[in-house]
PDB file of all heavy atoms in Angstrom:
ATOM      1  N   ARG A  72      13.669   5.544  -8.262  1.00 96.00           N
ATOM      2  CA  ARG A  72      14.867   5.976  -7.532  1.00 96.00           C
ATOM      3  C   ARG A  72      14.488   6.763  -6.282  1.00 96.00           C
ATOM      4  O   ARG A  72      15.079   6.587  -5.216  1.00 96.00           O
ATOM      5  CB  ARG A  72      15.765   6.839  -8.431  1.00 96.00           C
ATOM      6  CG  ARG A  72      16.649   6.052  -9.370  1.00 96.00           C
ATOM      7  CD  ARG A  72      17.779   6.928  -9.918  1.00 96.00           C
ATOM      8  NE  ARG A  72      17.279   8.127 -10.583  1.00 96.00           N
ATOM      9  CZ  ARG A  72      16.930   8.191 -11.867  1.00 96.00           C
ATOM     10  NH1 ARG A  72      17.030   7.107 -12.635  1.00 96.00           N
ATOM     11  NH2 ARG A  72      16.500   9.319 -12.392  1.00 96.00           N
ATOM     12  N   ARG A  73      13.490   7.622  -6.417  1.00 96.00           N
ATOM     13  CA  ARG A  73      13.085   8.454  -5.284  1.00 96.00           C
ATOM     14  C   ARG A  73      12.629   7.606  -4.101  1.00 96.00           C
ATOM     15  O   ARG A  73      12.935   7.926  -2.943  1.00 96.00           O
ATOM     16  CB  ARG A  73      11.958   9.393  -5.717  1.00 96.00           C
ATOM     17  CG  ARG A  73      11.437  10.264  -4.576  1.00 96.00           C
ATOM     18  CD  ARG A  73      10.237  11.088  -4.993  1.00 96.00           C
ATOM     19  NE  ARG A  73       9.698  11.817  -3.861  1.00 96.00           N
ATOM     20  CZ  ARG A  73       8.531  12.457  -3.856  1.00 96.00           C
ATOM     21  NH1 ARG A  73       7.793  12.464  -4.971  1.00 96.00           N
ATOM     22  NH2 ARG A  73       8.094  13.083  -2.784  1.00 96.00           N
ATOM     23  N   TRP A  74      11.927   6.497  -4.377  1.00 96.00           N
ATOM     24  CA  TRP A  74      11.353   5.701  -3.299  1.00 96.00           C
ATOM     25  C   TRP A  74      12.100   4.390  -3.043  1.00 96.00           C
ATOM     26  O   TRP A  74      11.620   3.544  -2.289  1.00 96.00           O
ATOM     27  CB  TRP A  74       9.877   5.416  -3.604  1.00 96.00           C
ATOM     28  CG  TRP A  74       9.064   6.673  -3.657  1.00 96.00           C
ATOM     29  CD1 TRP A  74       8.579   7.288  -4.772  1.00 96.00           C
ATOM     30  CD2 TRP A  74       8.673   7.483  -2.551  1.00 96.00           C
ATOM     31  NE1 TRP A  74       7.899   8.426  -4.432  1.00 96.00           N
ATOM     32  CE2 TRP A  74       7.936   8.577  -3.071  1.00 96.00           C
ATOM     33  CE3 TRP A  74       8.858   7.397  -1.169  1.00 96.00           C
ATOM     34  CZ2 TRP A  74       7.406   9.569  -2.254  1.00 96.00           C
ATOM     35  CZ3 TRP A  74       8.318   8.375  -0.358  1.00 96.00           C
ATOM     36  CH2 TRP A  74       7.599   9.444  -0.900  1.00 96.00           C
ATOM     37  N   GLY A  75      13.260   4.237  -3.672  1.00 96.00           N
ATOM     38  CA  GLY A  75      14.071   3.045  -3.425  1.00 96.00           C
ATOM     39  C   GLY A  75      13.467   1.776  -3.983  1.00 96.00           C
ATOM     40  O   GLY A  75      13.607   0.694  -3.391  1.00 96.00           O
ATOM     41  N   LEU A  76      12.817   1.856  -5.127  1.00 97.00           N
ATOM     42  CA  LEU A  76      12.164   0.706  -5.749  1.00 97.00           C
ATOM     43  C   LEU A  76      12.995   0.185  -6.906  1.00 97.00           C
ATOM     44  O   LEU A  76      13.823   0.906  -7.478  1.00 97.00           O
ATOM     45  CB  LEU A  76      10.762   1.096  -6.237  1.00 97.00           C
ATOM     46  CG  LEU A  76       9.842   1.737  -5.187  1.00 97.00           C
ATOM     47  CD1 LEU A  76       8.539   2.197  -5.839  1.00 97.00           C
ATOM     48  CD2 LEU A  76       9.568   0.766  -4.045  1.00 97.00           C
ATOM     49  N   ASP A  77      12.755  -1.057  -7.272  1.00 96.00           N
ATOM     50  CA  ASP A  77      13.437  -1.689  -8.403  1.00 96.00           C
ATOM     51  C   ASP A  77      12.628  -1.406  -9.672  1.00 96.00           C
ATOM     52  O   ASP A  77      11.531  -1.945  -9.844  1.00 96.00           O
ATOM     53  CB  ASP A  77      13.554  -3.191  -8.161  1.00 96.00           C
ATOM     54  CG  ASP A  77      14.380  -3.894  -9.232  1.00 96.00           C
ATOM     55  OD1 ASP A  77      14.636  -3.282 -10.294  1.00 96.00           O
ATOM     56  OD2 ASP A  77      14.740  -5.068  -9.025  1.00 96.00           O
ATOM     57  N   ALA A  78      13.158  -0.577 -10.545  1.00 95.00           N
ATOM     58  CA  ALA A  78      12.432  -0.186 -11.754  1.00 95.00           C
ATOM     59  C   ALA A  78      12.210  -1.352 -12.698  1.00 95.00           C
ATOM     60  O   ALA A  78      11.369  -1.273 -13.608  1.00 95.00           O
ATOM     61  CB  ALA A  78      13.176   0.941 -12.469  1.00 95.00           C
ATOM     62  N   ARG A  79      12.955  -2.457 -12.512  1.00 94.00           N
ATOM     63  CA  ARG A  79      12.819  -3.600 -13.420  1.00 94.00           C
ATOM     64  C   ARG A  79      11.694  -4.537 -13.003  1.00 94.00           C
ATOM     65  O   ARG A  79      11.271  -5.379 -13.806  1.00 94.00           O
ATOM     66  CB  ARG A  79      14.145  -4.376 -13.466  1.00 94.00           C
ATOM     67  CG  ARG A  79      15.319  -3.573 -14.020  1.00 94.00           C
ATOM     68  CD  ARG A  79      16.622  -4.267 -13.716  1.00 94.00           C
ATOM     69  NE  ARG A  79      16.853  -4.335 -12.257  1.00 94.00           N
ATOM     70  CZ  ARG A  79      17.915  -4.908 -11.709  1.00 94.00           C
ATOM     71  NH1 ARG A  79      18.845  -5.473 -12.469  1.00 94.00           N
ATOM     72  NH2 ARG A  79      18.045  -4.927 -10.397  1.00 94.00           N
ATOM     73  N   ARG A  80      11.209  -4.410 -11.790  1.00 96.00           N
ATOM     74  CA  ARG A  80      10.173  -5.327 -11.290  1.00 96.00           C
ATOM     75  C   ARG A  80       8.813  -4.638 -11.253  1.00 96.00           C
ATOM     76  O   ARG A  80       8.701  -3.450 -10.939  1.00 96.00           O
ATOM     77  CB  ARG A  80      10.523  -5.807  -9.877  1.00 96.00           C
ATOM     78  CG  ARG A  80      11.755  -6.688  -9.799  1.00 96.00           C
ATOM     79  CD  ARG A  80      11.980  -7.105  -8.351  1.00 96.00           C
ATOM     80  NE  ARG A  80      10.858  -7.855  -7.827  1.00 96.00           N
ATOM     81  CZ  ARG A  80      10.544  -7.939  -6.520  1.00 96.00           C
ATOM     82  NH1 ARG A  80      11.270  -7.265  -5.635  1.00 96.00           N
ATOM     83  NH2 ARG A  80       9.526  -8.670  -6.121  1.00 96.00           N
ATOM     84  N   PRO A  81       7.750  -5.381 -11.580  1.00 96.00           N
ATOM     85  CA  PRO A  81       6.407  -4.786 -11.513  1.00 96.00           C
ATOM     86  C   PRO A  81       6.018  -4.465 -10.072  1.00 96.00           C
ATOM     87  O   PRO A  81       6.474  -5.110  -9.119  1.00 96.00           O
ATOM     88  CB  PRO A  81       5.505  -5.879 -12.102  1.00 96.00           C
ATOM     89  CG  PRO A  81       6.283  -7.142 -11.974  1.00 96.00           C
ATOM     90  CD  PRO A  81       7.719  -6.769 -12.069  1.00 96.00           C
ATOM     91  N   ILE A  82       5.180  -3.454  -9.944  1.00 98.00           N
ATOM     92  CA  ILE A  82       4.731  -2.979  -8.634  1.00 98.00           C
ATOM     93  C   ILE A  82       3.265  -3.353  -8.435  1.00 98.00           C
ATOM     94  O   ILE A  82       2.434  -3.182  -9.335  1.00 98.00           O
ATOM     95  CB  ILE A  82       4.883  -1.449  -8.528  1.00 98.00           C
ATOM     96  CG1 ILE A  82       6.351  -1.041  -8.600  1.00 98.00           C
ATOM     97  CG2 ILE A  82       4.256  -0.919  -7.235  1.00 98.00           C
ATOM     98  CD1 ILE A  82       6.559   0.461  -8.723  1.00 98.00           C
ATOM     99  N   LEU A  83       2.963  -3.877  -7.246  1.00 98.00           N
ATOM    100  CA  LEU A  83       1.580  -4.038  -6.805  1.00 98.00           C
ATOM    101  C   LEU A  83       1.304  -2.933  -5.793  1.00 98.00           C
ATOM    102  O   LEU A  83       1.833  -2.945  -4.680  1.00 98.00           O
ATOM    103  CB  LEU A  83       1.357  -5.420  -6.178  1.00 98.00           C
ATOM    104  CG  LEU A  83       0.040  -5.637  -5.411  1.00 98.00           C
ATOM    105  CD1 LEU A  83      -1.180  -5.248  -6.232  1.00 98.00           C
ATOM    106  CD2 LEU A  83      -0.066  -7.084  -4.930  1.00 98.00           C
ATOM    107  N   ALA A  84       0.514  -1.942  -6.194  1.00 98.00           N
ATOM    108  CA  ALA A  84       0.195  -0.805  -5.331  1.00 98.00           C
ATOM    109  C   ALA A  84      -0.922  -1.180  -4.367  1.00 98.00           C
ATOM    110  O   ALA A  84      -1.927  -1.778  -4.774  1.00 98.00           O
ATOM    111  CB  ALA A  84      -0.216   0.395  -6.179  1.00 98.00           C
ATOM    112  N   LEU A  85      -0.761  -0.805  -3.107  1.00 98.00           N
ATOM    113  CA  LEU A  85      -1.766  -1.045  -2.079  1.00 98.00           C
ATOM    114  C   LEU A  85      -2.255   0.297  -1.558  1.00 98.00           C
ATOM    115  O   LEU A  85      -1.471   1.074  -1.004  1.00 98.00           O
ATOM    116  CB  LEU A  85      -1.174  -1.865  -0.933  1.00 98.00           C
ATOM    117  CG  LEU A  85      -0.506  -3.194  -1.317  1.00 98.00           C
ATOM    118  CD1 LEU A  85       0.121  -3.849  -0.081  1.00 98.00           C
ATOM    119  CD2 LEU A  85      -1.496  -4.138  -1.975  1.00 98.00           C
ATOM    120  N   LEU A  86      -3.539   0.579  -1.755  1.00 97.00           N
ATOM    121  CA  LEU A  86      -4.130   1.848  -1.314  1.00 97.00           C
ATOM    122  C   LEU A  86      -5.244   1.539  -0.322  1.00 97.00           C
ATOM    123  O   LEU A  86      -6.408   1.359  -0.711  1.00 97.00           O
ATOM    124  CB  LEU A  86      -4.671   2.641  -2.506  1.00 97.00           C
ATOM    125  CG  LEU A  86      -3.634   3.392  -3.366  1.00 97.00           C
ATOM    126  CD1 LEU A  86      -2.852   2.429  -4.245  1.00 97.00           C
ATOM    127  CD2 LEU A  86      -4.317   4.439  -4.246  1.00 97.00           C
ATOM    128  N   PRO A  87      -4.923   1.478   0.980  1.00 95.00           N
ATOM    129  CA  PRO A  87      -5.905   1.025   1.972  1.00 95.00           C
ATOM    130  C   PRO A  87      -6.883   2.083   2.451  1.00 95.00           C
ATOM    131  O   PRO A  87      -7.824   1.755   3.174  1.00 95.00           O
ATOM    132  CB  PRO A  87      -5.017   0.551   3.128  1.00 95.00           C
ATOM    133  CG  PRO A  87      -3.783   1.384   3.014  1.00 95.00           C
ATOM    134  CD  PRO A  87      -3.576   1.633   1.552  1.00 95.00           C
ATOM    135  N   GLY A  88      -6.689   3.363   2.096  1.00 91.00           N
ATOM    136  CA  GLY A  88      -7.668   4.369   2.472  1.00 91.00           C
ATOM    137  C   GLY A  88      -7.046   5.641   3.012  1.00 91.00           C
ATOM    138  O   GLY A  88      -5.857   5.694   3.324  1.00 91.00           O
ATOM    139  N   SER A  89      -7.873   6.669   3.130  1.00 88.00           N
ATOM    140  CA  SER A  89      -7.401   7.988   3.558  1.00 88.00           C
ATOM    141  C   SER A  89      -7.973   8.406   4.907  1.00 88.00           C
ATOM    142  O   SER A  89      -7.783   9.533   5.338  1.00 88.00           O
ATOM    143  CB  SER A  89      -7.786   9.035   2.502  1.00 88.00           C
ATOM    144  OG  SER A  89      -9.198   9.058   2.322  1.00 88.00           O
ATOM    145  N   ARG A  90      -8.705   7.495   5.564  1.00 84.00           N
ATOM    146  CA  ARG A  90      -9.245   7.786   6.890  1.00 84.00           C
ATOM    147  C   ARG A  90      -8.710   6.755   7.880  1.00 84.00           C
ATOM    148  O   ARG A  90      -8.541   5.587   7.522  1.00 84.00           O
ATOM    149  CB  ARG A  90     -10.782   7.732   6.878  1.00 84.00           C
ATOM    150  CG  ARG A  90     -11.437   8.753   5.962  1.00 84.00           C
ATOM    151  CD  ARG A  90     -12.947   8.535   5.924  1.00 84.00           C
ATOM    152  NE  ARG A  90     -13.609   9.571   5.154  1.00 84.00           N
ATOM    153  CZ  ARG A  90     -13.818   9.514   3.844  1.00 84.00           C
ATOM    154  NH1 ARG A  90     -13.394   8.457   3.160  1.00 84.00           N
ATOM    155  NH2 ARG A  90     -14.436  10.491   3.214  1.00 84.00           N
ATOM    156  N   PRO A  91      -8.471   7.149   9.132  1.00 83.00           N
ATOM    157  CA  PRO A  91      -7.965   6.189  10.116  1.00 83.00           C
ATOM    158  C   PRO A  91      -8.827   4.941  10.234  1.00 83.00           C
ATOM    159  O   PRO A  91      -8.317   3.827  10.365  1.00 83.00           O
ATOM    160  CB  PRO A  91      -7.945   7.001  11.421  1.00 83.00           C
ATOM    161  CG  PRO A  91      -7.761   8.417  10.968  1.00 83.00           C
ATOM    162  CD  PRO A  91      -8.533   8.521   9.675  1.00 83.00           C
ATOM    163  N   GLN A  92     -10.163   5.107  10.191  1.00 83.00           N
ATOM    164  CA  GLN A  92     -11.048   3.952  10.321  1.00 83.00           C
ATOM    165  C   GLN A  92     -10.862   2.989   9.152  1.00 83.00           C
ATOM    166  O   GLN A  92     -10.969   1.764   9.315  1.00 83.00           O
ATOM    167  CB  GLN A  92     -12.503   4.405  10.407  1.00 83.00           C
ATOM    168  CG  GLN A  92     -13.040   4.970   9.087  1.00 83.00           C
ATOM    169  CD  GLN A  92     -14.386   5.637   9.240  1.00 83.00           C
ATOM    170  OE1 GLN A  92     -14.503   6.644   9.930  1.00 83.00           O
ATOM    171  NE2 GLN A  92     -15.394   5.090   8.602  1.00 83.00           N
ATOM    172  N   GLU A  93     -10.584   3.518   7.952  1.00 89.00           N
ATOM    173  CA  GLU A  93     -10.351   2.661   6.789  1.00 89.00           C
ATOM    174  C   GLU A  93      -9.022   1.926   6.907  1.00 89.00           C
ATOM    175  O   GLU A  93      -8.915   0.740   6.558  1.00 89.00           O
ATOM    176  CB  GLU A  93     -10.392   3.501   5.514  1.00 89.00           C
ATOM    177  CG  GLU A  93     -11.748   4.094   5.226  1.00 89.00           C
ATOM    178  CD  GLU A  93     -11.734   5.101   4.092  1.00 89.00           C
ATOM    179  OE1 GLU A  93     -10.669   5.669   3.802  1.00 89.00           O
ATOM    180  OE2 GLU A  93     -12.810   5.331   3.503  1.00 89.00           O
ATOM    181  N   LEU A  94      -8.023   2.628   7.404  1.00 90.00           N
ATOM    182  CA  LEU A  94      -6.712   2.008   7.561  1.00 90.00           C
ATOM    183  C   LEU A  94      -6.784   0.836   8.537  1.00 90.00           C
ATOM    184  O   LEU A  94      -6.171  -0.215   8.307  1.00 90.00           O
ATOM    185  CB  LEU A  94      -5.717   3.054   8.058  1.00 90.00           C
ATOM    186  CG  LEU A  94      -4.264   2.865   7.631  1.00 90.00           C
ATOM    187  CD1 LEU A  94      -4.137   2.896   6.122  1.00 90.00           C
ATOM    188  CD2 LEU A  94      -3.387   3.935   8.255  1.00 90.00           C
ATOM    189  N   ARG A  95      -7.544   0.998   9.607  1.00 89.00           N
ATOM    190  CA  ARG A  95      -7.664  -0.079  10.590  1.00 89.00           C
ATOM    191  C   ARG A  95      -8.279  -1.332   9.973  1.00 89.00           C
ATOM    192  O   ARG A  95      -7.926  -2.451  10.335  1.00 89.00           O
ATOM    193  CB  ARG A  95      -8.504   0.386  11.785  1.00 89.00           C
ATOM    194  CG  ARG A  95      -7.791   1.376  12.688  1.00 89.00           C
ATOM    195  CD  ARG A  95      -8.546   1.555  13.991  1.00 89.00           C
ATOM    196  NE  ARG A  95      -9.868   2.145  13.798  1.00 89.00           N
ATOM    197  CZ  ARG A  95     -10.098   3.448  13.807  1.00 89.00           C
ATOM    198  NH1 ARG A  95      -9.102   4.303  13.972  1.00 89.00           N
ATOM    199  NH2 ARG A  95     -11.326   3.906  13.638  1.00 89.00           N
ATOM    200  N   ARG A  96      -9.194  -1.152   9.055  1.00 91.00           N
ATOM    201  CA  ARG A  96      -9.891  -2.302   8.480  1.00 91.00           C
ATOM    202  C   ARG A  96      -9.207  -2.869   7.234  1.00 91.00           C
ATOM    203  O   ARG A  96      -9.458  -4.016   6.863  1.00 91.00           O
ATOM    204  CB  ARG A  96     -11.335  -1.919   8.135  1.00 91.00           C
ATOM    205  CG  ARG A  96     -12.153  -1.566   9.370  1.00 91.00           C
ATOM    206  CD  ARG A  96     -13.623  -1.370   9.048  1.00 91.00           C
ATOM    207  NE  ARG A  96     -14.364  -0.984  10.242  1.00 91.00           N
ATOM    208  CZ  ARG A  96     -14.858  -1.837  11.132  1.00 91.00           C
ATOM    209  NH1 ARG A  96     -14.678  -3.139  10.960  1.00 91.00           N
ATOM    210  NH2 ARG A  96     -15.515  -1.401  12.196  1.00 91.00           N
ATOM    211  N   HIS A  97      -8.345  -2.090   6.589  1.00 93.00           N
ATOM    212  CA  HIS A  97      -7.805  -2.528   5.297  1.00 93.00           C
ATOM    213  C   HIS A  97      -6.303  -2.783   5.271  1.00 93.00           C
ATOM    214  O   HIS A  97      -5.844  -3.554   4.428  1.00 93.00           O
ATOM    215  CB  HIS A  97      -8.130  -1.471   4.224  1.00 93.00           C
ATOM    216  CG  HIS A  97      -9.587  -1.260   4.000  1.00 93.00           C
ATOM    217  ND1 HIS A  97     -10.164  -0.007   3.909  1.00 93.00           N
ATOM    218  CD2 HIS A  97     -10.605  -2.145   3.873  1.00 93.00           C
ATOM    219  CE1 HIS A  97     -11.456  -0.129   3.720  1.00 93.00           C
ATOM    220  NE2 HIS A  97     -11.755  -1.410   3.693  1.00 93.00           N
ATOM    221  N   LEU A  98      -5.535  -2.134   6.139  1.00 94.00           N
ATOM    222  CA  LEU A  98      -4.079  -2.225   6.011  1.00 94.00           C
ATOM    223  C   LEU A  98      -3.584  -3.665   6.123  1.00 94.00           C
ATOM    224  O   LEU A  98      -2.875  -4.161   5.239  1.00 94.00           O
ATOM    225  CB  LEU A  98      -3.402  -1.346   7.064  1.00 94.00           C
ATOM    226  CG  LEU A  98      -1.867  -1.360   7.056  1.00 94.00           C
ATOM    227  CD1 LEU A  98      -1.315  -0.937   5.703  1.00 94.00           C
ATOM    228  CD2 LEU A  98      -1.319  -0.457   8.163  1.00 94.00           C
ATOM    229  N   SER A  99      -3.934  -4.349   7.181  1.00 94.00           N
ATOM    230  CA  SER A  99      -3.481  -5.733   7.364  1.00 94.00           C
ATOM    231  C   SER A  99      -4.029  -6.631   6.261  1.00 94.00           C
ATOM    232  O   SER A  99      -3.307  -7.498   5.729  1.00 94.00           O
ATOM    233  CB  SER A  99      -3.929  -6.240   8.738  1.00 94.00           C
ATOM    234  OG  SER A  99      -3.584  -7.595   8.902  1.00 94.00           O
ATOM    235  N   LEU A 100      -5.283  -6.446   5.910  1.00 96.00           N
ATOM    236  CA  LEU A 100      -5.906  -7.233   4.848  1.00 96.00           C
ATOM    237  C   LEU A 100      -5.160  -7.086   3.529  1.00 96.00           C
ATOM    238  O   LEU A 100      -4.856  -8.081   2.853  1.00 96.00           O
ATOM    239  CB  LEU A 100      -7.363  -6.785   4.682  1.00 96.00           C
ATOM    240  CG  LEU A 100      -8.117  -7.326   3.469  1.00 96.00           C
ATOM    241  CD1 LEU A 100      -8.334  -8.825   3.600  1.00 96.00           C
ATOM    242  CD2 LEU A 100      -9.455  -6.588   3.302  1.00 96.00           C
ATOM    243  N   PHE A 101      -4.839  -5.857   3.167  1.00 97.00           N
ATOM    244  CA  PHE A 101      -4.170  -5.608   1.885  1.00 97.00           C
ATOM    245  C   PHE A 101      -2.750  -6.184   1.878  1.00 97.00           C
ATOM    246  O   PHE A 101      -2.299  -6.742   0.878  1.00 97.00           O
ATOM    247  CB  PHE A 101      -4.149  -4.115   1.588  1.00 97.00           C
ATOM    248  CG  PHE A 101      -5.459  -3.562   1.073  1.00 97.00           C
ATOM    249  CD1 PHE A 101      -6.659  -4.216   1.316  1.00 97.00           C
ATOM    250  CD2 PHE A 101      -5.499  -2.379   0.353  1.00 97.00           C
ATOM    251  CE1 PHE A 101      -7.861  -3.711   0.840  1.00 97.00           C
ATOM    252  CE2 PHE A 101      -6.687  -1.867  -0.132  1.00 97.00           C
ATOM    253  CZ  PHE A 101      -7.880  -2.530   0.118  1.00 97.00           C
ATOM    254  N   LEU A 102      -2.049  -6.032   3.012  1.00 97.00           N
ATOM    255  CA  LEU A 102      -0.693  -6.575   3.090  1.00 97.00           C
ATOM    256  C   LEU A 102      -0.707  -8.101   2.978  1.00 97.00           C
ATOM    257  O   LEU A 102       0.130  -8.692   2.281  1.00 97.00           O
ATOM    258  CB  LEU A 102      -0.035  -6.143   4.395  1.00 97.00           C
ATOM    259  CG  LEU A 102       0.420  -4.685   4.468  1.00 97.00           C
ATOM    260  CD1 LEU A 102       0.808  -4.313   5.898  1.00 97.00           C
ATOM    261  CD2 LEU A 102       1.588  -4.427   3.520  1.00 97.00           C
ATOM    262  N   LYS A 103      -1.643  -8.749   3.650  1.00 97.00           N
ATOM    263  CA  LYS A 103      -1.734 -10.213   3.570  1.00 97.00           C
ATOM    264  C   LYS A 103      -2.050 -10.660   2.143  1.00 97.00           C
ATOM    265  O   LYS A 103      -1.472 -11.640   1.641  1.00 97.00           O
ATOM    266  CB  LYS A 103      -2.801 -10.726   4.531  1.00 97.00           C
ATOM    267  CG  LYS A 103      -2.409 -10.618   5.996  1.00 97.00           C
ATOM    268  CD  LYS A 103      -3.548 -11.069   6.901  1.00 97.00           C
ATOM    269  CE  LYS A 103      -3.161 -10.942   8.373  1.00 97.00           C
ATOM    270  NZ  LYS A 103      -4.286 -11.308   9.277  1.00 97.00           N
ATOM    271  N   ALA A 104      -2.962  -9.957   1.477  1.00 97.00           N
ATOM    272  CA  ALA A 104      -3.300 -10.309   0.096  1.00 97.00           C
ATOM    273  C   ALA A 104      -2.090 -10.132  -0.812  1.00 97.00           C
ATOM    274  O   ALA A 104      -1.811 -10.986  -1.674  1.00 97.00           O
ATOM    275  CB  ALA A 104      -4.465  -9.453  -0.388  1.00 97.00           C
TER     276      ALA A 104
END
């Protein structure tokens, strides 16, 4: 409810990193996957 998610559907969590350099290399990759 807090994050506007559907509690009935499974969640695929994407954690691309905690540094800007990691985000640049992983964000698009993780979203595409």
Side-chain angles (χ1 to χ4, degrees):
R72 279 197 304 273
R73 178 185 175 191
W74 297 105
L76 306 174
D77 186 346
R79 297 166 296 179
R80 293 181 61 205
I82 296 171
L83 168 52
L85 306 176
L86 282 75
S89 59
R90 298 175 175 89
Q92 70 190 64
E93 294 171 337
L94 210 60
R95 288 192 296 270
R96 296 188 182 275
H97 298 134
L98 179 58
S99 176
L100 170 67
F101 282 22
L102 285 169
K103 289 177 181 177

